[in-house]
Amino acid sequence: MDMFWRPTAGYRRSAYRNRRPDLSVQGIFDFDEDGGGQAGLLTDLLSRAERVLLKKLSNNDRDWARYANKHQAGVYIPAEQREGGFFPPLEAKPRKDPDAAPIREAWFDTLWPQASGDERNKHTRIVHYTSKGPETHMTRLPKECFEHLSPASFLMMGRYRQGEDTVYECLTIDSASEEADLLLLQLDITPDFLIGEFEPAEVRAKEQDRVLDFAEELIAAWKAGTIVEFGLARAAMPKTEELAGLARDRYLEIYGLTSLDPFAIERPGDALREISRSIEWDMFRDFQRRERAVELVRIALGDAPRDMTIAEIIRQLINELPRIDALMLSASQQRKSRAGYSYEHHIEAMLSGGKIPFEKQVVIEAKKRPDFILPSLAFISSGEVIAATGLILSAKTTLRERWKQVEREKGERRLYLTTVDENIAGNAIQDMAGIGVQLVIPESLMDAKETEYAGHANVLTFRRLCDEVILPNLKVWV
C-alpha cells in the first residue's frame, strides 16, 4: 500500500493551507475504512516517519483539554526538543513595545487522524515566552484528542516529507490501551521514559542486528534438520518463576545486594518496578523473540529441510495464516499473563527478604484466594484484638478495572493493593477509598507530574507500607 498522500481531484488549496494534506480526502486514516484501528494508525506512522517525537504527557499536558480554569494551554515542550531540529525554527514575533521581552514562535500544519471533521487539520503554534525562562508550549491542538486520556498517556508526532512539504502527523496513545503496549514494544520504551526523539528506521535496524546472529543459527539448524532440538536448547522460554528469579538476581548483582530486603532498600517500590518492568521485561522479550522465531519457521517451512521455491513459501504462509495468527495472539497473551504472575513472585521474594511472615494464595471464605495474607490466615481469623493488625496484600502489576476484584477478597479486613501501574485516574483512586482499599505504589510515582496519585489519603508508597504498616506489627506477627 502506498502510505503517502497525493493530491486528488477533490483536493482544494486555500491561502493558509497551501499544499496541506487533508485527512478527510486522504481516507487511509479513517477509522471506518481502516480495519487496523488505532494500532494501524500507530504502525503506519512508524513505518513512514523519518523522525518521531514521543512524550509521556504530564497532568498539565492533558488538563487544559479537561478543565476550563487551567492556565497551561497545550503541551509543554522542553528546550532541548524545541531547539533540537524536530520543530521548525522559532522566530521573534513583532511586538509593539520594542523593550518587551521577545516572544519566539513557529507555526506549522499538523495532522490528527484520530480527530473528527475539521479538527483533523490544525495550524499549530509552538511558542516560547522568553520572559518566563525556557517555558515553551505547543498550542492550537484538537481538544478531543486529549480530554479523555488516562494519566501517563503519550503524544507521538511523526515527521516525514511529502514532495516539498514537511508533514507532522500526530497521535495520542492512551496509557491504558493495547496500543500503548504496542508503542512501548515498537520503540523499546523504558518505564522511566518521559520524552525523546527516535528514528524508526534506526530502531528497526537495531532490532535486526539484535537477532541477526540468532537468525543465522536458526537457518543452519533448519538446514541440518535439527530445528526441533535447536528450539529446545536455544529458544525455550523459562518458567515464570525461573525467569522472575533471573531478573531479581540481575538486580541484586547491579546494586551489590545479597537479598531483596525492603527495609534495607531505600526505595523498595521502585526496585519492584525496575525488576518487573525493565530487567525482567528485557529478558522476556529476548526469550520470546527466539521462541516465536523458531515456531514461525516451523510453521512456514516445516521441520524437515527441503528445497522450496518462493511460490511454495508464499502458498505455505497463506495456508498457515490461522496458525500464524494464533501464534501472534498467544505471544500477546503470554506477555500479559506472565507479567502478573512474575510480579507476585517479586512481592513474595521481597517479603521473604525482609523476614515478613506471610501466607500465599490461601483459600478463605467463599473460595476467595487473596495473593498474600500477613502474617497468616489463622492470625487474622483468631478473633483476638491483635488480629486487626493483620492485612491482605493484593498484587496487580496493572489495574485498569481489575482492582474491583479485590473488594470481594477484603471482607472486614484491611486490604492493601500493590501495583506498579502509573495510569490510574483520580476518580478510580477515590472509588478505592470508598470501599476501604489502600493503594501501594512505587516511590517515584507518588509525586510524578504524569500521575494522579498525589493528594489521596489512601495512597502510600512501598516505603511507607514497610515502615508505617508492617514494621510496627512485626513483633506481634512473629
Side-chain angles (χ1 to χ4, degrees):
M1 178 184 294
D2 186 353
M3 293 301 180
F4 291 93
W5 170 89
R6 288 183 175 85
T8 67
Y11 180 71
R12 293 185 294 180
R13 305 174 188 269
S14 66
Y16 124 74
R17 291 167 59 183
N18 187 35
R19 294 195 307 272
R20 184 180 185 186
D22 185 346
L23 284 175
S24 63
V25 173
Q26 190 171 352
I28 65 168
F29 297 120
D30 195 311
F31 283 118
D32 294 333
E33 297 177 17
D34 185 358
Q38 295 208 44
L41 294 174
L42 173 60
T43 55
D44 284 350
L45 181 53
L46 287 173
S47 71
R48 65 174 164 273
E50 62 186 35
R51 195 161 189 83
V52 165
L53 173 70
L54 183 68
K55 185 184 185 189
K56 184 182 291 184
L57 297 172
S58 70
N59 293 331
N60 284 340
D61 290 334
R62 299 180 298 115
D63 284 351
W64 65 271
R66 301 193 296 165
Y67 308 111
N69 61 344
K70 294 297 180 178
H71 70 279
Q72 176 173 313
V75 175
Y76 176 77
I77 302 295
E80 180 180 353
Q81 280 70 39
R82 179 192 72 210
E83 306 294 347
F86 181 83
F87 294 101
L90 277 65
E91 299 178 354
K93 176 183 178 180
R95 306 200 66 182
K96 294 180 180 179
D97 182 359
D99 297 324
I103 297 176
R104 303 172 61 237
E105 64 180 4
W107 292 85
F108 55 103
D109 294 333
T110 53
L111 311 179
W112 301 82
Q114 295 160 311
S116 58
D118 291 341
E119 291 297 295
R120 291 189 174 195
N121 297 270
K122 301 294 288 187
H123 197 48
T124 296
R125 182 193 190 204
I126 182 170
V127 56
H128 173 209
Y129 294 96
T130 59
S131 61
K132 299 180 180 181
E135 186 172 331
T136 305
H137 292 98
M138 186 170 66
T139 62
R140 307 294 180 94
L141 314 176
K143 177 180 177 181
E144 63 185 282
C145 292
F146 292 85
E147 60 183 333
H148 300 300
L149 293 175
S150 303
S153 292
F154 295 93
L155 168 66
M156 185 173 81
M157 303 180 66
R159 188 188 69 190
Y160 53 90
R161 298 286 297 178
Q162 286 184 350
E164 298 178 0
D165 299 320
T166 297
V167 178
Y168 291 87
E169 185 178 326
C170 310
L171 299 174
T172 52
I173 312 296
D174 194 292
S175 57
S177 69
E178 300 287 341
E179 288 74 26
D181 296 336
L182 177 61
L183 174 66
L184 302 183
L185 188 66
Q186 292 281 332
L187 294 180
D188 202 13
I189 301 299
T190 58
D192 57 352
F193 173 86
L194 293 177
I195 188 170
E197 295 182 32
F198 303 85
E199 293 182 6
E202 182 178 316
V203 174
R204 289 191 292 271
K206 287 182 179 179
E207 178 69 13
Q208 292 168 0
D209 290 342
R210 190 178 292 140
V211 300
L212 185 60
D213 290 341
F214 179 77
E216 294 299 324
E217 294 178 35
L218 177 55
I219 292 169
W222 183 78
K223 289 181 176 180
T226 58
I227 189 169
V228 176
E229 295 80 5
F230 175 82
L232 292 173
R234 297 277 285 113
M237 176 71 73
K239 293 182 179 179
T240 304
E241 188 172 1
E242 180 185 351
L243 185 60
L246 291 173
R248 288 194 300 275
D249 289 344
R250 178 59 181 147
Y251 177 86
L252 296 177
E253 179 185 357
I254 292 172
Y255 292 97
L257 302 174
T258 57
S259 70
L260 206 61
D261 182 354
F263 299 111
I265 298 173
E266 182 179 359
R267 301 166 75 89
D270 286 346
L272 287 170
R273 188 166 184 246
E274 181 177 351
I275 294 168
S276 61
R277 287 289 182 90
S278 183
I279 298 175
E280 184 176 356
W281 170 240
D282 287 343
M283 291 180 173
F284 173 80
R285 282 191 65 190
D286 186 53
F287 278 113
Q288 191 183 61
R289 186 186 294 113
R290 292 166 177 256
E291 182 183 56
R292 292 301 187 249
V294 171
E295 291 174 354
L296 185 60
V297 170
R298 294 182 65 189
I299 290 173
L301 304 181
D303 294 344
R306 59 193 175 94
D307 292 332
M308 297 181 70
T309 66
I310 296 298
E312 289 175 323
I313 294 174
I314 292 174
R315 276 194 292 270
Q316 180 73 0
L317 289 171
I318 294 173
N319 291 338
E320 297 293 350
L321 273 178
R323 291 179 64 191
I324 295 173
D325 283 343
L327 176 65
M328 297 300 103
L329 179 60
S330 68
S332 176
Q333 293 172 336
Q334 184 185 43
R335 288 193 294 269
K336 297 172 187 175
S337 62
R338 290 181 66 100
Y341 289 123
S342 68
Y343 184 56
E344 292 177 18
H345 292 315
H346 299 317
I347 294 288
E348 181 178 2
M350 185 165 279
L351 293 173
S352 299
K355 296 181 171 57
I356 301 167
F358 68 92
E359 288 184 341
K360 182 181 179 182
Q361 296 286 329
V362 178
V363 177
I364 57 178
E365 65 271 9
K367 298 183 179 180
K368 300 170 188 173
R369 193 188 293 269
D371 296 323
F372 302 96
I373 296 178
L374 280 58
S376 68
L377 177 60
F379 183 94
I380 66 173
S381 304
S382 66
E384 299 181 17
V385 175
I386 59 172
T389 65
L391 58 92
I392 292 175
L393 189 64
S394 183
K396 296 190 183 300
T397 182
T398 58
L399 294 185
R400 297 178 183 171
E401 294 297 311
R402 295 171 60 232
W403 66 267
K404 296 177 181 178
Q405 300 170 3
V406 303
E407 184 177 7
R408 58 188 298 271
E409 301 174 0
K410 181 179 180 297
E412 298 301 319
R413 305 177 179 93
R414 294 194 297 171
L415 189 144
Y416 290 81
L417 175 58
T418 73
T419 186
V420 292
D421 208 343
E422 60 184 338
N423 59 22
I424 308 305
N427 58 355
I429 298 172
Q430 292 172 359
D431 290 343
M432 294 181 207
I435 61 173
V437 172
Q438 305 292 310
L439 189 59
V440 185
I441 63 171
E443 293 74 21
S444 61
L445 298 187
M446 177 60 82
D447 296 315
K449 295 179 180 179
E450 295 75 27
T451 70
E452 297 185 5
Y453 292 123
H456 293 276
N458 64 317
V459 178
L460 67 161
T461 63
F462 278 87
R463 175 77 280 142
R464 284 187 57 204
L465 173 72
C466 294
D467 293 346
E468 300 174 17
V469 179
I470 295 177
L471 186 60
N473 295 308
L474 274 182
K475 288 184 179 179
V476 298
W477 284 359
V478 176

